[in-house]
């Protein structure tokens, strides 16, 4: 019996697991490693302290800069009091305009010096922050390239690599003929993708979240990615998986049991029962 119904077109392609983001952490100042706070292969959260560098010089610079700001504030307060007295004396015509101008210039100069020293204090704090290497996002650490006592330099050896594991992406390619259907499906709503893991024992479902902006002219394919939850770390960057998705649907298709479809030398066909129950191939 031939049925007519809408049939989703399922595509099965090979894909590879890729991390959404991975970063090699390096030192931004020349210093000595004071302490490593993590283990290799450890899960870390955003902002967790990974490596501490010797910060004694930077801490001293911060204290010096803050002390200079306090001195500037005291000098500025004294200059403002002097300016106020000079204005009163000028109003009573006890001093000349030049003396008042000098007091005003002194206040303006100290205000400028205060702004400069406050900026220097902020710069010293930034340098101090460089002595604490923190995770910029939640992920898993790789091999640690330094130990306490190691000397590090700006843009030198990698201290540690952090890779985001959850969520994670699977990258794959599709034939360019599937692009119109995929684009239409994405415009209508999320497109579901699935992969099978654990020796085909478990299926994970995700959503297509990226389609490249150009077709590869050498292969006639377009790159795409799907995002999956990975709380139990079933997926690992670099793994190869089989991806299944249905970017388009055949409307009003003629459907027969798959067992009825035969393969001939030229094409696939089915046997159709006609008049007098005679069989012909179509």
């Amino acid at each position: 019996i031939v049925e007519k119904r809408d049939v989703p077109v399922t595509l099965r392609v090979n894909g590879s697991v890729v991390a959404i983001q991975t970063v090699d952490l390096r030192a931004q100042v020349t210093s000595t490693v004071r302490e490593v706070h993590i283990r290799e292969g450890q899960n870390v959260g955003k902002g967790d302290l990974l490596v501490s560098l010797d910060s004694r010089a930077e801490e001293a610079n911060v204290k010096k800069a803050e002390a200079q700001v306090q001195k500037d504030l005291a000098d500025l307060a004294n200059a403002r009091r002097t300016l106020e007295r000079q204005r009163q004396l000028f109003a009573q015509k006890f001093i000349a305009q030049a003396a008042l101008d000098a007091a005003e210039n002194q206040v303006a100069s100290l205000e400028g010096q205060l702004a400069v020293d406050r900026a220097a204090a902020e710069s010293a704090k930034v340098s101090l922050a460089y002595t604490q290497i923190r995770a910029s996002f939640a992920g898993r650490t790789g091999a640690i390239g330094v130990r306490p006592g190691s000397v590090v330099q700006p843009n030198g050896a990698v201290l540690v690599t952090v890779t985001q594991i959850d969520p994670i992406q699977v990258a794959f390619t599709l034939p360019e003929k599937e692009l119109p259907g995929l684009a239409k499906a994405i415009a209508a709503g999320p497109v579901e993708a699935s992969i099978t893991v654990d020796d085909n024992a478990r299926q994970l479902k995700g959503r297509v979240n990226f389609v490249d902006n150009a077709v590869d002219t050498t292969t006639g394919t377009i790159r795409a990615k799907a995002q999956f939850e990975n709380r139990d770390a079933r997926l690992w960057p670099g793994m190869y998986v089989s991806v299944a998705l249905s970017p388009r649907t055949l409307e009003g298709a003629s459907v027969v049991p798959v067992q009825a479809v035969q393969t001939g030398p030229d094409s696939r066909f089915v046997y159709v029962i006609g008049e007098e129950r005679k069989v012909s191939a179509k």
Side-chain angles (χ1 to χ4, degrees), residues 262-281:
Q262 306 296 314
T263 301
D266 298 325
S267 62
R268 289 183 293 179
F269 65 93
V270 293
Y271 287 113
V272 178
I273 302 175
E275 296 179 359
E276 299 180 1
R277 299 190 63 80
K278 289 183 179 180
V279 173
S280 60

Side-chain angles (χ1 to χ4, degrees), residues 226-239:
Q227 183 170 305
F228 295 83
E229 297 293 333
N230 193 35
R231 295 187 180 91
D232 52 2
R234 300 279 184 179
L235 302 177
W236 218 248
M239 290 175 58

Side-chain angles (χ1 to χ4, degrees), residues 9-23:
V9 177
T10 301
L11 303 178
R12 298 187 184 276
V13 296
N14 293 325
S16 60
V17 180
V18 295
I20 293 179
Q21 53 184 339
T22 182
V23 62

Side-chain angles (χ1 to χ4, degrees), residues 19-26 50 134-137 140-142 158-164:
I20 293 179
Q21 53 184 339
T22 182
V23 62
D24 294 333
L25 297 176
R26 292 180 168 87
L50 308 180
R134 297 181 179 273
S136 54
F137 54 84
R140 187 179 180 92
T141 61
V158 175
L159 308 183
V160 65
T161 299
V162 179
T163 300
Q164 183 175 350

Side-chain angles (χ1 to χ4, degrees), residues 76 79 101-111:
L76 180 59
D101 291 344
E104 291 176 341
N105 290 339
Q106 180 67 12
V107 170
S109 176
L110 289 175
E111 288 176 343

